[in-house]
Amino acid sequence: MSNEYKRILTIQDISCVGQCSLTVALPIISACGIETAVLPSAVLSTHTAGFDGFTFRDLTGDMGKICDHWKRVNIKFDGFYTGYLGSSEQIDHCLRIFEETAADGAVVIVDPAMADNGRLYVGFDMAFVESMKRLVARADIVLPNITEACLLTGMEYKTEYDAMYIREITKRLLDLGAKNVVLTGIGFEKGFTGVWFENREKADYYRHEQLPGGCHGTGDVYASAFVGALMRGKGIFEAASIAADYTVECIKNTQGDSSHWYGVKFEPVLPKLIGRLG
Ligand code: PXL
C-alpha cells in the first residue's frame, strides 16, 4: 500500500434509510479519496429517531468471526472510526479489532454516538455509557457532542456555559485516556456555535454560524467529513474546521424541505468538501 492511499475501517450500524451511520460514512469518506472498509454492527430498516416500528438485526455474533478472517489474511487498516454501536459486547469487539488489525501508526477515532440535546438515544442506558468510556480511553481522537461529553465525564448538562466549563469537560475526557478531544456544537454567543479542540498541549476554538432548528444525522456527517479530511493529511484542528463548514453547508442545503426531516442532503455538497482537501 502506498503511503498516500489510506484504508480506514468504520464500525457502526447500517440504517437502510435515514442518512446516518454507514450510509453517510461510506460515501463521504470514499469521496475524500480514502478506501473505506465497513463493519456493520447491526442492520436497521431506518434509524431510531422518528420512524415507528423499525426492524433491527444485531450482527454482534459476526464481528469476532470477521476479525478472525481479517487476521488470517493479514488485512490491516491505517485508521478506525467507530460510530453508533449497540452494546458493551460490540465495544469489546472493536477493541479487539484495533489490536489485531492496526497498521503501524493507525489512528483510532471514536464518535461516542449515543445522545443529543441532553438525552440518551432510544435503547441506551448508563451501563452503555460506562462501556463507552473504555473505547474513549483507547481513542486518539474522540468526537462527542456536549451531551455525550457530559454523560462520559459526569458533568452537568448545560445549554449556557463559559470556556471554564468546556475546559473542565475536555480535561475529564483527556483524563479518561483520549489523546485529543474535538467537542462539537459549542457556542458562547447567540447565533454561533463551533468546535472546541483540546489535547495536553493546546486548546483551540473554531466558531461558525448556528442555523435554526436541529437536523438529524449531522453528527455522522460531521464525523465522516472529519475522518476524510484527517486521513487526507489535514491536522486535527483544520480537519475539525473543514468538517464544521461542510456540515453547515449540508444543513443549508436541507433547510426549508420539511419532507426531509430525517437527515441532511449531504450528497450535492460533496464537491465543496472535496475542494477543501486540495
Ligand atoms: O446518527 C446516529 C444514529 C445512528 N444509527 C442509528 C440511530 C442514530 C440516531 O438516532 O438511530 C440506528
Side-chain angles (χ1 to χ4, degrees), residues 87-88 91 112 114-115 120-121 124-136 147-154 176:
S87 63
S88 302
I91 287 173
M114 59 184 176
L120 282 163
Y121 293 144
F124 289 99
D125 58 18
M126 287 310 287
F128 182 77
V129 174
E130 276 308 307
S131 300
M132 185 55 82
K133 289 184 191 174
R134 290 187 289 122
L135 208 52
V136 170
T147 304
E148 291 155 348
C150 285
L151 287 164
L152 287 164
T153 58
L176 279 178

Side-chain angles (χ1 to χ4, degrees), residues 12-15 18-22 44 46-50 54 56 83-85 111 113-114 121-122 124 148 216-221:
Q12 46 191 318
D13 74 281
I14 187 156
S15 292
Q19 283 176 314
C20 70
S21 44
L22 279 185
L44 293 85
T46 64
H47 64 60
T48 65
F54 51 84
F56 177 87
Y84 185 102
L85 297 166
D111 177 2
M114 59 184 176
Y121 293 144
V122 174
F124 289 99
E148 291 155 348
H216 190 268
T218 49
D220 298 343
V221 167

